[in-house]
């Protein structure tokens, strides 16, 4: 008899509670205290009945109750295993091991947090309060747009004030551009794996998405050119740096090839560079290769925090910028002057750059944890980014894997959410950021690795 079953026997002998219910309670207690952890194998029904001096049916009812509570899984020929031992990691509502939303990590740097709080207070005290509460022209003040140029210029050096708009988040820019460039029923080329928000926007607007297959360098140029010849797309949308979800960065040669094709067929390019500020070394922006066709978009949701709904878009020219401002004014009226004032100050005084550096550093630490736990499984990752792409073996489908992990209080996203060609790969995206602590991130990665190393039958694990 093991030490665990000896403790269970003593508890059973001293309790008046029905034995089958108490057995489930004992399993739950041992999971909570760490005496039992995920994938621990429990005794067979017959062996446990003998150890605890219970009849076979009582133990079977106890295991059935434990399964009902989501504590264990049983599989014929393999045995009974602990399903999970991390109820202390709540999902989105509690900010635990929620690895679905692609959020930057939150560096616990007291000096940086104090700096951000101080400057936020300064905005509210130094600016005219009523001025911030009034309607303003769409696109931000001249000072706001100057800050936008300062932020964008490391990626797109050649930009003018009349090309810059300050907007309420990248998603709103994409919605306006899709509606402006394509009518219902018309087509926009996208990567075969892309930002799910683009799929939602296209569905809402009745726009068709044409998937471009991917190789190790990015969307394949031959496929784009064939689409230009035969389908007459209204635009090309791409996420060239730290692609969401695959983490891939499009090569310079592929950027040049796509820009050349777009120029030859006069196809506008929507360059969603939400993650471009994270890596220190990246190829030139497509906007520098085809400036007369490219709408270059970046913002702060992936470099500071998703709640900072502020984005910058550099249009091909002043006329296109004015047209985009009109389209966005019709749907969003304006970006918040209070948010604009805060982001402008953070860009001007270096707070935004300091936060970016802190997020890079924290991302590097978390990617090292991911490499330690999941490196043997062929993950795709970038050391200064905060998400990774995990291929799966045939033991799991992506949906089953994600569903099982959710029962363990770990959230990941199955590949189908990103697929635009109807054939999603066997993979999931995992975010390492958000409010989750470094310790919780490490715990969740360990659990994911353990799940990969000891897969149960998927259909037996999804509740």
């Amino acid at each position: 008899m093991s030490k665990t079953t000896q403790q269970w026997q003593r508890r059973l002998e001293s309790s008046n509670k029905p034995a089958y219910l108490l057995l489930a309670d004992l399993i739950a207690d041992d999971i909570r205290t760490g005496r039992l952890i995920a994938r621990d194998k429990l005794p067979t029904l017959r062996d446990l009945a003998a150890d605890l001096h219970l009849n076979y049916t009582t133990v079977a009812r106890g295991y059935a109750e434990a399964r009902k509570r989501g504590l264990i899984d049983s599989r014929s020929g393999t045995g009974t295993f602990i399903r999970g031992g991390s109820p202390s990691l709540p999902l989105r509502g509690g900010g635990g091991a929620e690895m679905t939303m692609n959020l930057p990590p939150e560096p616990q740097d007291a000096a940086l947090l104090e700096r951000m709080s101080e400057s936020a207070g300064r905005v509210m005290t130094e600016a005219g309060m009523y001025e911030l509460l009034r309607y303003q022209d769409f696109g931000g003040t001249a000072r706001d747009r100057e800050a936008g140029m300062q932020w964008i210029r490391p990626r797109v050096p050649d930009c003018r004030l009349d090309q810059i708009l300050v907007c309420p988040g990248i998603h709103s820019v994409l919605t306006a551009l899709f509606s402006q460039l394509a009518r219902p029923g018309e087509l926009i080329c996208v990567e075969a794996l892309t930002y799910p928000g683009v799929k939602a926007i296209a569905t809402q607007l009745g726009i068709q998405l044409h998937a471009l297959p991917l190789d190790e360098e990015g969307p394949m140029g031959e496929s784009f050119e064939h689409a230009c010849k035969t389908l007459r797309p209204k635009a090309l949308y791409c996420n060239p740096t730290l692609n969401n979800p695959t983490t891939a960065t499009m090569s310079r040669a592929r950027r040049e090839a796509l820009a050349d094709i777009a120029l030859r067929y006069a196809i506008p390019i929507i360059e969603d560079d939400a993650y471009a500020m994270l890596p220190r070394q990246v190829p030139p922006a497509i906007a520098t290769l085809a400036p007369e066709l490219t709408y270059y978009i970046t913002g702060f949701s992936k470099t500071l925090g998703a709640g900072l709904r502020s984005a910058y878009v550099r249009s091909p020219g002043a006329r296109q910028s004015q047209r985009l401002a009109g389209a966005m004014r019709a749907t969003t009226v304006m970006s918040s002057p209070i948010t604009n004032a805060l982001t402008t100050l953070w860009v001007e005084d270096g707070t935004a750059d300091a936060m970016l550096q802190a997020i890079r550093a924290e991302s590097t630490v978390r990617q090292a944890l991911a490499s330690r736990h999941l490196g043997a499984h062929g993950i795709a990752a970038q050391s200064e980014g905060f998400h990774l792409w995990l291929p799966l073996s045939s033991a799991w489908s992506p949906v089953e894997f994600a569903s099982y992990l959710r029962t363990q209080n770990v959230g990941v996203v199955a590949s189908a959410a990103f697929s635009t060609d109807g054939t999603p790969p066997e993979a999931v995206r995992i975010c390492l950021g958000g409010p989750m602590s470094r310790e919780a991130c490490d715990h969740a990665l360990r659990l994911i690795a353990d799940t990969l190393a000891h897969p149960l039958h998927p259909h037996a694990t999804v509740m």
Side-chain angles (χ1 to χ4, degrees):
M1 183 184 296
S2 71
K3 184 177 180 181
T4 296
T5 51
Q6 287 176 344
Q7 293 172 340
W8 289 359
Q9 185 183 34
R10 288 195 293 271
R11 288 281 303 277
L12 285 162
E13 290 172 349
S14 62
S15 175
N16 294 322
K17 191 170 187 176
Y20 80 95
L21 291 176
L22 183 56
L23 180 56
D25 291 344
L26 292 169
I27 293 171
D29 288 344
D30 282 0
I31 291 172
R32 185 168 53 252
T33 58
R35 286 191 292 268
L36 291 174
I37 62 173
R39 308 300 185 188
D40 277 353
K41 188 173 183 179
L42 294 178
T44 67
L45 293 173
R46 199 168 302 282
D47 287 346
L48 189 59
D51 287 346
L52 299 180
H53 307 300
L54 297 172
N55 65 52
Y56 181 92
T57 302
T58 299
V59 175
R61 290 183 69 191
Y63 273 12
E65 177 66 22
R67 274 195 300 275
K68 181 179 175 182
R69 298 183 194 181
L71 302 173
I72 64 173
D73 272 307
S74 298
R75 179 181 169 190
S76 178
T78 303
T80 300
F81 296 84
I82 296 298
R83 171 176 273 189
S86 48
S88 62
L89 296 177
L91 290 179
R92 189 176 305 171
E98 174 54 78
M99 305 171 101
T100 57
M101 299 299 289
N102 224 19
L103 303 171
E106 300 175 357
Q108 296 307 300
D109 182 329
L112 178 58
L113 289 168
E114 175 63 26
R115 177 178 177 176
M116 294 167 70
S117 298
E118 185 276 328
S119 56
R122 189 150 39 96
V123 165
M124 303 305 292
T125 56
E126 294 181 359
M129 182 56 68
Y130 282 120
E131 185 176 341
L132 294 178
L133 295 177
R134 295 174 192 145
Y135 285 114
Q136 295 183 0
D137 288 339
F138 190 89
T141 66
R143 180 183 172 189
D144 295 333
R145 287 182 283 125
E146 287 278 2
M149 284 201 305
Q150 179 182 336
W151 190 251
I152 282 176
R153 272 184 174 149
R155 299 291 298 125
V156 189
D158 183 18
C159 55
R160 305 184 310 272
L161 201 63
D162 61 6
Q163 294 175 286
I164 299 292
L165 293 174
V166 184
C167 307
I170 291 177
H171 193 91
S172 65
V173 181
L174 297 178
T175 303
L177 280 173
F178 273 50
S179 66
Q180 184 180 342
L181 296 175
R183 295 177 181 176
E186 294 181 330
L187 182 145
I188 290 178
C189 288
V190 299
E191 291 142 316
L193 293 166
T194 195
Y195 166 51
V198 164
K199 297 169 64 176
I201 291 168
T203 299
Q204 182 72 24
L205 298 176
I207 293 169
Q208 297 182 50
L209 298 180
H210 177 69
L212 301 177
L214 300 167
D215 63 16
E216 64 277 3
E217 293 190 70
M220 296 174 68
E222 318 87 84
S223 298
F224 179 43
E225 182 153 20
H226 181 72
C228 291
K229 287 178 179 178
T230 60
L231 301 174
R232 298 186 179 180
K234 296 301 178 180
L236 166 66
Y237 166 84
C238 60
N239 173 205
T241 307
L242 278 181
N243 171 270
N244 178 17
T246 68
T247 79
T249 292
M250 199 184 298
S251 70
R252 177 179 184 131
R254 186 59 52 85
R255 294 173 192 234
E256 291 173 344
L258 295 175
D260 177 66
I261 295 165
L263 286 166
R264 285 192 280 113
Y265 291 92
I267 304 297
I269 299 170
I270 303 170
E271 184 175 10
D272 180 357
D273 232 6
Y275 302 87
M277 301 300 176
L278 293 168
R280 290 179 176 84
Q281 299 294 325
V282 291
I286 298 174
T288 65
L289 305 172
E292 61 269 49
L293 287 176
T294 305
Y295 293 86
Y296 180 86
I297 313 163
T298 194
F300 294 99
S301 62
K302 307 304 181 187
T303 50
L304 272 78
L308 197 64
R309 305 309 298 163
S310 190
Y312 302 131
V313 54
R314 177 261 185 206
S315 297
R319 183 174 60 84
Q320 292 94 331
S321 185
Q322 290 169 3
R323 287 188 62 212
L324 177 58
M328 295 200 66
R329 189 182 295 112
T331 55
T332 61
V333 182
M334 63 178 183
S335 53
S336 164
I338 295 173
T339 302
N340 288 353
L342 181 60
T343 53
T344 293
L345 178 60
W346 280 355
V347 170
E348 290 175 341
D349 71 5
T351 300
D353 188 63
M355 186 64 172
L356 175 59
Q357 292 183 46
I359 286 171
R360 278 187 193 135
E362 182 63 26
S363 296
T364 300
V365 172
R366 296 184 182 211
Q367 289 287 4
L369 294 175
S371 179
R372 181 189 311 161
H373 297 306
L374 301 175
H377 297 280
I379 58 172
Q382 210 280 348
S383 62
E384 293 173 323
F386 47 79
H387 70 280
L388 60 89
W389 189 235
L390 172 65
L392 297 176
S393 70
S394 58
W396 295 98
S397 78
V399 172
E400 289 167 334
F401 187 71
S403 297
Y404 173 77
L405 288 178
R406 185 155 290 272
T407 70
Q408 309 305 298
N409 294 312
V410 174
V412 301
V413 185
S415 56
F418 310 96
S419 175
T420 57
D421 64 1
T423 56
E426 300 294 308
V428 296
R429 189 198 69 186
I430 301 172
C431 177
L432 306 178
M436 174 175 56
S437 70
R438 191 183 294 180
E439 292 72 23
C441 180
D442 182 68
H443 186 111
L445 289 167
R446 287 176 185 272
L447 192 149
I448 293 170
D450 193 56
T451 301
L452 292 169
H454 305 96
L456 297 176
H457 191 276
H459 298 292
T461 62
V462 180
M463 295 289 289

